[in-house]
Every structure is written in structure tokens, then in C-alpha cells.
């Protein structure tokens, strides 16, 4: 368990440094938002490009990948059903809360955990790829669709005024001004408007830097030859900054004095933490056993499901201005709970 504690200790030290910087105001009040933007738009896309480009895509067809997909999707569906169906939360808030419930810290904690438990980092790949290729694109599509306010009807020219100052209704040529209007298509409404809105959402989604990074990495991984290191090297160097910058951002967010508005809704936090730290590992272990996984394979998939919420969820929350207190507190609580949960998983399945 030493590797897990070392990984958690390293993360904690960087978070503590971020807290000190935030408390002292060393980088200014805008620092968390600026760092979050750098992580979102530059460092994370580079990291995803390199990670996916080096991934073995055949792992997507393994039973471990199937267990990861089924258990994670179940957590997502439960979170959406409760948050949207029962509590009627806005779609963007539901998306961030769902990510906090299902998006695990596969990079910073999953890699050393897999190496310690199984002697190989391959166990983390299914979780990593599912998050990068499924969860993230779907979440960003929803968040990008909700980012701008819904467009209203297209503007029309101001109707001319009558001599007494009243507004005159415009009519077609040859039709008396006081003739009641007949039903006609309104510009900006109907099927054409729906197509335009869908097109705008797709374009915004495809311009999302994280999705672009993952798609380019997927394309490189599918090539019959490996890209030269001289091409991927710069992306790897920049991508290496993603984890520490995200942890610094997390630490600085903890230093912000809490007001009533800066606190998450308690029932939402309880739901997220329960799904993340209890329900997901139980689902992964149960589905894995039902599909015939045993030994190291079952231990690996269950341990990956027991990982805490990734700090990148807070980065996404800051980027889109939704559910920042929930993402912050979920990351903190699930990270604290990760040690006892992983100890139980290892004791039962190890």
C-alpha cells in the first residue's frame, strides 16, 4: 500500500502548495480561472493526445473494458435519473455532478495503484479510454450546448409608426395595413432552427480542445505505424503539466473563503460521494464476477472503480461556471475515502 500512500501524499503536497498560494494571493484573484483555462485548453489536450496515441486499442474489446463500461454507465444513469428526474436540476449542473460521480483519477492515482497491485499499468487503460472517448465527449456536448443562452427569434425591422404614434403592423405589398395576419413560417423557428442549433452545438463540440486532443490521439493509435517521438515529444512535455496544474487549481479553490453560495447542496454531495466511493466499486466487482473475471483481473477492475473523483472535474466546472463547490468538495471527500475503500477492496479480492 506504500505506492498508494506515496501517490496520495504527493498529490496532497501539491494541493497544499496551491492552498498556500491561494491563501496568500500570490498569483492574484484570477489565478484559479486562468490555470483552469490553461489545463483545459492546452495541457490536458496534449496529455490526452499522447496517452491515447500510445494506448492499445485492443483493450477496448476485453472483458475488463466491458465491466468498466457497464459499471460506469450504470453510475451515470443513476446519477442522471436522480439529479434530473427526481430533483429537476439543470442539465449543465447534472452533467458536472455526473462527472464527479463517474470520472475517476485514473492518471495520478490509477497508474501507481495498478503498478503496485498488478505489476502492470494496463489495468488503468480501460477506465482511461472510456473516460476520454465516451464520458468526456458526451459531457462536453451537453455543456457546450448549454453554454450560450438559447437563441430567440431572429430580429425584425421596427414597424413604421402611424400618424397617431401607434405602431403599424407590416403587411405584404397590396394588402391593406389593417388586414389580420395569416399563419406563416416564422424565421428562426421550426425544423430549420433545430438543424441550425444542432449544427452549432456540433461545431462547438468539435472545437472543444479536449475532444480534439482525444480524437487526434485515437487517429494516431489506429495508424499501422507508431508516430515518431520527435512529433509526440513536445505534446508529452506540455501534457505533463496538466496534473500538477490541476492539483494547484484544486488547492487554490480550497483557499477561497466559503459563503453560502460557495457550498454544494448537501444531498447532491452525498449522492456523488456514495456513487463514487461505494456504488461504483460494488458494481464493478459484481459485474466482473458475473462475467467470469477472477484474481488479478477482478481486483484491478474493482480497484479502478474505487478511485476518487478526478481533479479535472473541478477544472471543467470552473471552465463552464457550473457546480464548482460540488466538484471541489467531491474531489476532496472521495480522495480522503479512497484509502479505506482501497484497503477493503485489496483485503477482500487481493
Amino acid at each position: 500500500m506504500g505506492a498508494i500512500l506515496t501517490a496520495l501524499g504527493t498529490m496532497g503536497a501539491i494541493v497544499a502548495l496551491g492552498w498556500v498560494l491561494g491563501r496568500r494571493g500570490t498569483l492574484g484573484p484570477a489565478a484559479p480561472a486562468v490555470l483552469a483555462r490553461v489545463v483545459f485548453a492546452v495541457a490536458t489536450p496534449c496529455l490526452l493526445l499522447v496517452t491515447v496515441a500510445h494506448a492499445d486499442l485492443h483493450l477496448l474489446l476485453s472483458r475488463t473494458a466491458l465491466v468498466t463500461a457497464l459499471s460506469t454507465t450504470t453510475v451515470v444513469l443513476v446519477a442522471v435519473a436522480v439529479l434530473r428526474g427526481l430533483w429537476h436540476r439543470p442539465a449543465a449542473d447534472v452533467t458536472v455532478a455526473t462527472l464527479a460521480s463517474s470520472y475517476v483519477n485514473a492518471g495520478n492515482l490509477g497508474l501507481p495503484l495498478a503498478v503496485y497491485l498488478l505489476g502492470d499499468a494496463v489495468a488503468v487503460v480501460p477506465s482511461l479510454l472510456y473516460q476520454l472517448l465516451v464520458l468526456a465527449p458526451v459531457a462536453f456536448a451537453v455543456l457546450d450546448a448549454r453554454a450560450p443562452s438559447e437563441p430567440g427569434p431572429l430580429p425584425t425591422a421596427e414597424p413604421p409608426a402611424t400618424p397617431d404614434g401607434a405602431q403599424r403592423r407590416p403587411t405584404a405589398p397590396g394588402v391593406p395595413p389593417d388586414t389580420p395576419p395569416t399563419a406563416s413560417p416564422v424565421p428562426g423557428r421550426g425544423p430549420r432552427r433545430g438543424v441550425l442549433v444542432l449544427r452549432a452545438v456540433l461545431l462547438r463540440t468539435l472545437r472543444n480542445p479536449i475532444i480534439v486532443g482525444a480524437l487526434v490521439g485515437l487517429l494516431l493509435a489506429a495508424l499501422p505505424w507508431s508516430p515518431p517521438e520527435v512529433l509526440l515529444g513536445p505534446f508529452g512535455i506540455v501534457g505533463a503539466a496538466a496534473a500538477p496544474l490541476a492539483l494547484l487549481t484544486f488547492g487554490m479553490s480550497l483557499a477561497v473563503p466559503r459563503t453560502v453560495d460557495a457550498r454544494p447542496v448537501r444531498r447532491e454531495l452525498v449522492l456523488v460521494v456514495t456513487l463514487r466511493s461505494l456504488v461504483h466499486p460494488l458494481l464493478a466487482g459484481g459485474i466482473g464476477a458475473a462475467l467470469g473475471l477472477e484474481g488479478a483481473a477482478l481486483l484491478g477492475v474493482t480497484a479502478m472503480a474505487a478511485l476518487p473523483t478526478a481533479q479535472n472535474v473541478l477544472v471543467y466546472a470552473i471552465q463552464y461556471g457550473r457546480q464548482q463547490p460540488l466538484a471541489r468538495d467531491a474531489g476532496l471527500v472521495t480522495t480522503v475515502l479512497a484509502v479505506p475503500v482501497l484497503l477493503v477492496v485489496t483485503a477482500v479480492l487481493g
Side-chain angles (χ1 to χ4, degrees):
M1 212 62 188
I4 300 174
L5 296 177
T6 299
L8 286 172
T10 302
M11 293 168 56
I14 300 175
V15 170
L17 175 60
W19 184 88
V20 172
L21 293 174
R23 196 70 174 177
R24 295 174 59 89
T26 306
L27 303 181
V34 173
L35 287 182
R37 196 171 300 123
V38 172
V39 174
F40 182 85
V42 182
T44 299
C46 291
L47 177 64
L48 299 190
L49 187 152
V50 174
T51 302
V52 177
H54 286 148
D56 182 3
L57 297 184
H58 291 93
L59 291 173
L60 294 175
L61 304 177
S62 65
R63 279 188 298 174
T64 301
L66 180 59
V67 172
T68 298
L70 290 176
S71 61
T72 306
T73 302
T74 302
V75 170
V76 168
L77 293 176
V78 171
V80 171
V82 175
L83 291 162
R84 186 68 170 173
L86 294 181
W87 296 344
H88 307 292
R89 300 290 290 150
D93 290 356
V94 171
T95 302
V96 174
T98 300
L99 284 177
S101 304
S102 58
Y103 206 99
V104 301
N105 196 334
N108 298 334
L109 191 55
L111 284 173
L113 176 64
V115 171
Y116 168 73
L117 288 178
L118 309 171
D120 191 352
V122 71
V124 78
V125 174
S127 295
L128 198 61
L129 291 181
Y130 188 80
Q131 292 181 170
L132 301 183
L133 302 179
V134 179
L135 283 186
V138 173
F140 293 140
V142 176
L143 290 170
D144 285 330
R146 295 297 188 269
S149 57
E150 184 177 353
L154 296 178
T156 57
E158 187 71 20
T162 60
D164 59 1
Q167 297 296 328
R168 175 180 296 167
R169 183 189 302 114
T171 57
V175 179
D178 294 330
T179 303
T182 57
S184 61
V186 179
R189 296 184 184 274
R192 177 169 174 76
R193 182 182 183 181
V195 172
L196 292 176
V197 171
L198 178 60
R199 179 175 178 270
V201 171
L202 289 176
L203 288 177
R204 281 196 303 270
T205 302
L206 292 177
R207 286 197 297 264
N208 185 296
I210 290 182
I211 293 178
V212 171
L215 290 178
V216 173
L218 185 62
L219 177 63
L220 294 176
L223 293 176
W225 45 271
S226 298
E229 279 304 315
V230 69
L231 175 64
L232 296 181
F235 293 97
I237 294 174
V238 176
L245 287 181
L247 292 170
L248 284 175
T249 303
F250 181 53
M252 284 188 285
S253 72
L254 295 176
V256 176
R258 298 197 180 194
T259 62
V260 175
D261 293 337
R263 297 172 183 170
V265 178
R266 180 171 298 180
R267 65 179 183 180
E268 294 181 13
L269 180 61
V270 170
L271 172 68
V272 167
V273 171
T274 302
L275 290 174
R276 176 71 266 116
S277 299
L278 180 62
V279 175
H280 198 177
L282 288 175
L283 281 172
I287 295 174
L291 292 180
L293 292 182
E294 56 185 18
L298 183 60
L299 173 61
V301 74
T302 307
M304 294 304 107
L307 292 172
T309 300
Q311 273 70 47
N312 274 350
V313 175
L314 176 62
V315 172
Y316 306 153
I318 293 175
Q319 176 69 23
Y320 289 97
R322 311 300 294 237
Q323 292 280 54
Q324 297 175 39
L326 177 64
R328 176 198 62 210
D329 287 6
L332 178 62
V333 176
T334 57
T335 300
V336 171
L337 291 177
V339 174
V341 171
L342 288 170
L343 285 173
V344 171
V345 169
T346 305
V348 173
L349 301 176

